[in-house]
Amino acid sequence: MALRLVQVNFKASDDAALGRFWADALGWDVSSEGPGVTNVEPVGFAWPDPSAVCVDVVTVPDPETVRYRVHLDLATTSEAHQAELVARLEGLGAKPADVGQGDVPWVVMADPEGNVFCVLEPREVYRDTGPIAAVVVDCCDPRAMARFWGEAAGWTVHEASDDHARLRAPEGAGPYLEFLRATPGPKTVWNRVHIDLLPHRGADQAVEVARLEGLGATFADVGQGDVPWVVMADPEGNEFCVLGAPR
């Protein structure tokens, strides 16, 4: 398999401020590859590495307000840790959020720009993921999405049902990629949060793009212009990027 899932990309009105929030939330560090981009990675991390899916925050002129299909779940190790993390996140500027979750053991919050995320109660399955337990995508057909993304990123399917699918890097490291059955509604604008895939060293980006087309992906235009990455959409219309291959 010649692609790997390396990062989650957030669109923002202020990449530096939102990047700082997520770095403090995760206990990670920030850097920048250029104006308008803040990279959030574990301290001392050598990108790319399967032990973590990083966060890139990119400033755009007018980040839209829509129902987000992609969100992060944060891991905790105990009830006390969950309570401490929620309090710390509120101190950083996060707020409680109501997405109709009702009485659940996890806490739904929104970051300073309104991106919803969850602080989970302790769960054994996430004991070794690091601070990000899972990247979660709302979808109509979890089984079909697991098939596509398992082939697209080479991730191992650990669970697949009509309501939920869970995948993880073949190395058994880092967070899970999960698909939850939902009714996302008609897709009329691009997602504010998306996934980036990176070809392995020596792989050909064009060959990988053609392979993804064969799996059911399509090209997407989000106003990216002339860039070295390729913007595509999965079979349910969620955008993702195929980055240029590393040298």
Side-chain angles (χ1 to χ4, degrees):
M1 187 59 59
L3 286 171
R4 49 191 159 180
L5 196 165
V6 290
Q7 61 200 26
V8 178
N9 187 295
F10 282 72
K11 298 296 184 289
S13 59
D14 185 338
D15 66 279
L18 191 61
R20 184 75 265 166
F21 167 85
W22 278 106
D24 291 341
L26 300 172
W28 289 1
D29 206 352
V30 295
S31 61
S32 178
E33 62 195 68
V37 181
T38 297
N39 312 111
V40 183
E41 301 174 347
V43 176
F45 184 77
W47 187 89
D49 187 293
S51 65
V53 170
C54 299
V55 175
D56 261 20
V57 184
V58 179
T59 291
V60 296
D62 184 24
E64 77 286 5
T65 301
V66 297
R67 178 178 177 182
Y68 303 121
R69 290 186 174 188
V70 184
H71 72 267
L72 299 183
D73 281 351
L74 304 188
T76 63
T77 56
S78 66
E79 291 183 3
H81 180 209
Q82 183 187 29
E84 180 276 330
L85 180 56
V86 167
R88 186 164 63 83
L89 291 166
E90 288 182 326
L92 294 173
K95 299 180 183 300
D98 186 349
V99 294
Q101 67 269 23
D103 184 17
V104 293
W106 58 89
V107 179
V108 184
M109 308 189 78
D111 71 19
E113 290 211 12
N115 300 295
V116 172
F117 64 96
C118 296
V119 181
L120 302 180
E121 76 283 4
R123 301 184 192 180
E124 180 64 18
V125 68
Y126 302 130
R127 70 188 185 282
D128 62 350
T129 60
I132 300 177
V135 180
V136 183
V137 183
D138 289 348
C139 68
C140 296
D141 189 342
R143 289 183 189 274
M145 291 289 274
R147 285 193 297 270
F148 171 82
W149 280 99
E151 289 290 335
W155 279 32
T156 303
V157 178
H158 286 256
E159 176 185 342
S161 70
D162 291 342
D163 296 317
H164 178 237
R166 177 183 288 130
L167 298 83
R168 199 180 193 192
E171 295 85 355
Y176 288 84
L177 175 63
E178 301 190 6
F179 298 95
L180 295 180
R181 187 177 182 85
T183 307
K187 183 100 170 32
T188 58
V189 293
W190 44 269
N191 288 346
R192 189 170 176 178
V193 180
H194 71 257
I195 291 168
D196 286 343
L197 301 176
L198 178 72
H200 284 277
R201 189 173 303 278
D204 187 288
Q205 182 191 46
V207 170
E208 288 304 305
V209 166
R211 183 176 67 84
L212 292 168
E213 280 191 279
L215 295 173
T218 55
F219 291 100
D221 186 352
V222 296
Q224 67 268 24
D226 184 17
V227 293
W229 56 89
V230 179
V231 184
M232 305 189 79
D234 70 21
E236 290 203 12
N238 299 298
E239 294 88 9
F240 64 94
C241 293
V242 181
L243 306 178
R247 296 180 180 178

